[in-house]
Amino acid sequence: SPAVALICGLLITAMALVASWLSFLYAGLLFDPLAPIISGSITHFAATSFRILVIDRERREVRRAFGHYLSPSLLHRIEHNRDALRLGGDDRELTVMFVDVRSFTEISERLAPTDVVAFLNTLLDALSRHVVANEGTLDKFIGDSIMAFWNAPVDVADHATKAVRAALAMRETLTELNAGDAFGFGPGQEVGIGIGIHTGLACVGNMGAKTRFNYSAVGDAVNVAARIESCCKEVGFDILISDSTARLVQGMAVIEAGALPLKGKSSRTQILAVVGDERVAASAEFAALEVVHRQLTQALHSHSRNSRKLIATAKLRATQVIGGLAEFYQRISSRTDHFREAPDEVEKSAAD
């Protein structure tokens, strides 16, 4: 290294000066050490400059390349902590997000493989930027899906809110891409996505083999987030969050989407739909929709005959807030059981 080379150079210089002085003092011989010292110094600084300009530049290029796969916070953690590159993990409260492309099989069937890759690169690049912009960590790309999480490897304040903001930004970006025909599918051929978000305890760390591993998260929180994302098709809405995430999100426009049975879960999970941000939540249109929606959920819970009329009213109110809610209310009539207590939950409430 340059530091070791400098120390060695200084020692050789000192030895040359001492040897020259002793030779003149005891043997009467004059050896001029100036020329070799100057030539050695020139060689040392030339080699050091070459190392900084060439070798360190290559190191920066490698770091920049890995920056496409790892979040900046994770890179910083690895650089300053040698123990970061070890197998194992820590239990942390994470907000986990899954993003999936709707009808991807149909899209891939009518496109050539190279066109499928170009489509995915365009879409996933545009969406994943919002994860990093909101202090999230991109875990992996799974085909047409994105997995990301917040609050690891470093603490992130208001991580649930930032995850929801990233989801809303993805919705807006996708709308712009569809409007500009960024995928080249032609007018009327729009791409849709589903986003599921859940906050809970998970184990996050380096996982895999000792010679090849990934920084990832595993646990029930990850499974729940993936299951919530898969419910977007059934619910008919693009952004769904769990009640644990909703309790941490302040000021967002959210409405109840029912208690859905998730695969692998013994009890149903309360799901909410994210309509918009604080600006939407403060609007008069959403306030009116919220009142009607609350009446509708109460009617569905009590098996009221007034529910059909309230669904029609809610659909009318929804069009004034966001267009995507029309399908949401269209499907409520076929999943009224999601707004009613299951028999086991009724028994549990009575026991409590």
Side-chain angles (χ1 to χ4, degrees), residues 171 235 237-241 252-258 271-276 286 293 325 328 335:
R171 173 195 285 168
V235 174
F237 200 65
D238 59 344
I239 304 177
L240 299 179
I241 63 176
M252 295 288 186
V254 297
I255 57 175
E256 183 182 349
I271 306 297
L272 295 95
V274 181
V275 179
F286 179 73
H293 185 82
L325 277 174
F328 172 81
R335 58 183 195 90

Side-chain angles (χ1 to χ4, degrees), residues 296-336:
L296 174 59
T297 55
Q298 293 174 354
L300 292 174
H301 189 275
S302 60
H303 303 266
S304 175
R305 297 180 179 179
N306 197 34
S307 58
R308 290 189 176 182
K309 181 180 179 181
L310 289 171
I311 290 176
T313 305
K315 287 173 62 177
L316 180 62
R317 298 285 189 185
T319 56
Q320 301 173 358
V321 180
I322 180 174
L325 277 174
E327 184 179 358
F328 172 81
Y329 285 109
Q330 183 69 32
R331 298 195 180 189
I332 276 187
S333 57
S334 62
R335 58 183 195 90
T336 55

Side-chain angles (χ1 to χ4, degrees), residues 248-288:
L248 298 175
V249 174
Q250 301 295 327
M252 295 288 186
V254 297
I255 57 175
E256 183 182 349
L260 278 69
L262 303 183
K263 184 178 179 180
K265 302 292 292 182
S266 58
S267 59
R268 299 192 302 183
T269 303
Q270 188 68 41
I271 306 297
L272 295 95
V274 181
V275 179
D277 56 12
E278 295 90 344
R279 179 183 56 82
V280 176
S283 65
E285 292 80 6
F286 179 73

Side-chain angles (χ1 to χ4, degrees), residues 71 73 92-99 127-139 146-170 195-200 202 204 215 217 221-222 225 245:
S71 65
S73 58
R92 296 175 67 98
E93 182 186 66
L94 300 182
T95 296
V96 186
M97 169 193 286
F98 276 87
V99 184
L127 299 183
S128 60
R129 291 179 181 179
H130 297 297
V131 174
V132 179
N134 286 275
E135 302 182 48
T137 298
L138 280 169
D139 186 303
I146 300 174
M147 176 183 170
F149 52 80
W150 277 256
N151 206 37
V154 294
D155 295 332
V156 177
D158 299 326
H159 50 88
T161 301
K162 290 176 180 177
V164 174
R165 290 192 190 282
L168 291 172
M170 289 180 182
I195 303 176
I197 301 175
H198 174 64
T199 302
V204 59
Y215 186 82
V222 178
T245 301

Side-chain angles (χ1 to χ4, degrees), residues 83-104:
D83 293 336
L85 291 177
R86 290 183 179 177
L87 291 178
D90 301 317
D91 290 338
R92 296 175 67 98
E93 182 186 66
L94 300 182
T95 296
V96 186
M97 169 193 286
F98 276 87
V99 184
D100 186 64
V101 181
R102 297 277 84 95
S103 304
F104 177 71

Side-chain angles (χ1 to χ4, degrees), residues 60-76:
R60 290 193 298 270
E61 290 178 354
V62 172
R63 186 184 189 279
R64 191 181 305 114
F66 272 96
H68 293 294
Y69 303 95
L70 304 175
S71 65
S73 58
L74 178 56
L75 280 175
H76 182 270

